Amino acid sequence: MRPEDEDRIAAQLARVMAVACVRNTQLETLHAGLTPVSHTGDGSDVVVEDAAGRRIPWSEVSRINDDEMRALMREIVDRLYTFHLRIDDPAFRAEIDRWAAMTAKWDAPKPDPVLSAIPAETPERG
């Protein structure tokens, strides 16, 4: 297979996995709710006052607690696992192909610098 075909397939698969395995999870629940108004646009003018009276700048507020993170990661891992188990199932694949259409206008993915920095045992394709 040509490298450009591999890149196209990997990009489409990454976007579909993001929709199926990450986006439509508890992450949506965490994303729901009110967003504070920021006149600066970057949140630097927003503070949260907690029950102890601490005034915490928005940039320092944890927006997800440990239990929520643990539950979110479990759900994402379970969905990724199920995705891989079912990808050869024609009915599942048909549904995934429909979801792919919704990601067509998303930005093209690019290599992640952290994962890309892991040394490869095989030469890079090119």
Side-chain angles (χ1 to χ4, degrees), residues 19 23 25 27 35 44 49 57 68 70 73 83 101 105 116:
V19 167
R23 182 164 183 172
T25 62
L27 187 59
T35 301
S44 62
E49 186 171 341
E68 291 168 325
R70 192 174 302 107
M73 293 309 299
F83 186 97
K105 293 187 179 185
S116 295

Side-chain angles (χ1 to χ4, degrees), residues 94-125:
E95 185 66 21
I96 293 301
D97 288 345
R98 281 192 285 281
W99 291 355
M102 81 169 65
T103 68
K105 293 187 179 185
W106 287 15
D107 293 343
K110 58 185 186 299
D112 176 79
V114 173
L115 294 180
S116 295
I118 297 171
E121 288 189 25
T122 57
E124 288 192 29
R125 54 191 173 95

Side-chain angles (χ1 to χ4, degrees), residues 34-112:
L34 299 175
T35 301
V37 174
S38 172
H39 295 294
T40 62
D42 64 0
S44 62
D45 58 339
V46 176
V47 295
V48 173
E49 186 171 341
D50 71 7
R54 296 181 304 170
R55 292 178 51 82
I56 307 167
W58 183 251
S59 62
E60 296 176 24
V61 172
S62 174
R63 295 170 188 87
I64 181 172
N65 66 38
D66 288 343
D67 290 338
E68 291 168 325
M69 177 62 95
R70 192 174 302 107
L72 175 62
M73 293 309 299
R74 282 184 182 131
E75 184 176 15
I76 291 171
V77 168
D78 290 349
R79 284 184 178 224
L80 288 165
Y81 175 71
T82 305
F83 186 97
H84 287 292
L85 287 176
R86 298 218 36 222
I87 196 62
D88 291 329
D89 174 347
F92 182 76
R93 184 58 193 245
E95 185 66 21
I96 293 301
D97 288 345
R98 281 192 285 281
W99 291 355
M102 81 169 65
T103 68
K105 293 187 179 185
W106 287 15
D107 293 343
K110 58 185 186 299
D112 176 79

